[in-house]
Amino acid sequence: MFGRVDFVKGHGTENDFVLLPDAGVQLDLTPDFVSALCDRHRGIGADGVLRVATAGALLGAGVLEVLPPGVAHDDWFMDYRNGDGSIAEMCGNGVRVFAHYLAAHDLVTEPTFTVGSRAGGRRVTVHHLTESSADVSVLMGRVRTGAESKASIGDQTYSGLSVNVGNPHLACVVEGLTVEQLESIDLTAPITFDHTEFPDGVNIELMTPLVELTDAALVGEVSMRVHERGVGETRSCGTGTVAAATAALQSVGRSTGAVVVNVPGGAVTVTVGDDENELRGPSVLVGAGMLNAGWR
């Protein structure tokens, strides 16, 4: 793994990733390697790493012990690692960038296909495509909501809804919070949460109350910031926007509908249904390069 390694850099609403094409599963993605690669001073810099390989190849190499539900041997599999090197089940922005990469490099033949993840297979559709940009939607599955819980950020405590989108979230609708106040919150402050409720850690979303829109196709919009487990604050979090839309709708007595979620890196549209949730937004492939031997 210390030889020359190809990579591609991409982002979805500025939640950025290093993609590592590794069809033969030759790379040993140790936490030290991943964290060095994601470091913005000594590496490429990213919120996470996406290994590109088929599910069958990862299974054969022992990276996966079993195929997750809805994933076939020949499906391309998003082997996702957080910036600290830890493994995560799912990433909504990452899967859009991953799908964009597959389509741009002719690794798929149809605009709609399945991408494997540890949270299961996800159907994606590439609606518009160029080498550098794409508009991609992904079916995120059914979310599971749990109990209300609390988290403290610095000296402030926030109440929110536990939402599982294949990974754990605490989505906090903060009554009376303005966009300007949201922007001023210090997400680098120490964070505490209920480890009994979230034994594997949690992504925490803070958001403004839902603002209704006149567009008949949309219920409303919210603005959100997120602190991701294993990363810290990111410019966007795809699964976090699904959790945010779910919590925002429930806060006004609704269980379904389409919500625009504004994040520091842009905006996505989340459509919450009874049995399925769709996340749609942009992807950008910034460029490609090669890691030099001995770079770390």
Side-chain angles (χ1 to χ4, degrees), residues 11 55 61 103-104 108 189 191 198 215 250 264 294:
H11 71 87
V108 291
I191 291 179
F198 303 108
D215 188 332
Q250 289 201 14

Side-chain angles (χ1 to χ4, degrees), residues 60-233:
V63 175
L64 296 176
E65 294 183 358
V66 297
L67 292 182
V71 180
H73 277 76
D74 58 352
D75 287 335
W76 290 101
F77 191 96
M78 182 182 69
D79 181 14
Y80 177 58
R81 313 298 172 104
N82 290 316
D84 67 351
S86 60
I87 294 174
E89 302 88 350
M90 180 57 188
C91 177
N93 289 323
V95 74
R96 296 201 323 276
V97 174
F98 191 90
H100 181 189
Y101 171 85
L102 296 178
H105 290 80
D106 298 321
L107 296 175
V108 291
T109 58
E110 300 294 333
T112 298
F113 50 93
T114 296
V115 170
S117 76
R118 288 178 172 81
R122 296 291 184 261
R123 292 293 282 176
V124 300
T125 299
V126 179
H127 300 277
H128 163 77
L129 174 70
T130 69
E131 183 180 12
S132 61
S133 65
D135 173 23
V136 183
S137 63
V138 53
L139 298 181
M140 300 289 288
R142 186 175 185 176
V143 303
R144 291 184 289 112
T145 57
E148 291 192 355
S149 189
K150 294 182 179 181
S152 294
I153 302 176
D155 59 359
Q156 296 294 315
T157 299
Y158 301 93
S159 298
L161 180 69
S162 171
V163 185
N164 191 293
V165 193
N167 57 355
H169 295 264
L170 179 63
C172 306
V173 179
V174 184
E175 292 301 323
L177 184 69
T178 66
V179 173
E180 292 74 21
Q181 290 169 335
L182 176 65
E183 292 173 348
S184 70
I185 295 173
D186 181 11
L187 286 184
T188 66
I191 291 179
T192 59
F193 57 87
D194 185 349
H195 286 267
T196 303
E197 178 71 23
F198 303 108
D200 298 319
V202 65
N203 299 332
I204 300 171
E205 289 81 33
L206 303 180
M207 75 193 85
T208 59
L210 187 75
V211 176
E212 294 185 2
L213 297 175
T214 56
D215 188 332
L218 298 168
V219 175
E221 68 176 336
V222 298
S223 293
M224 180 196 93
R225 289 176 65 193
V226 59
H227 185 281
E228 290 197 56
R229 59 175 183 167
V231 185
E233 182 177 13

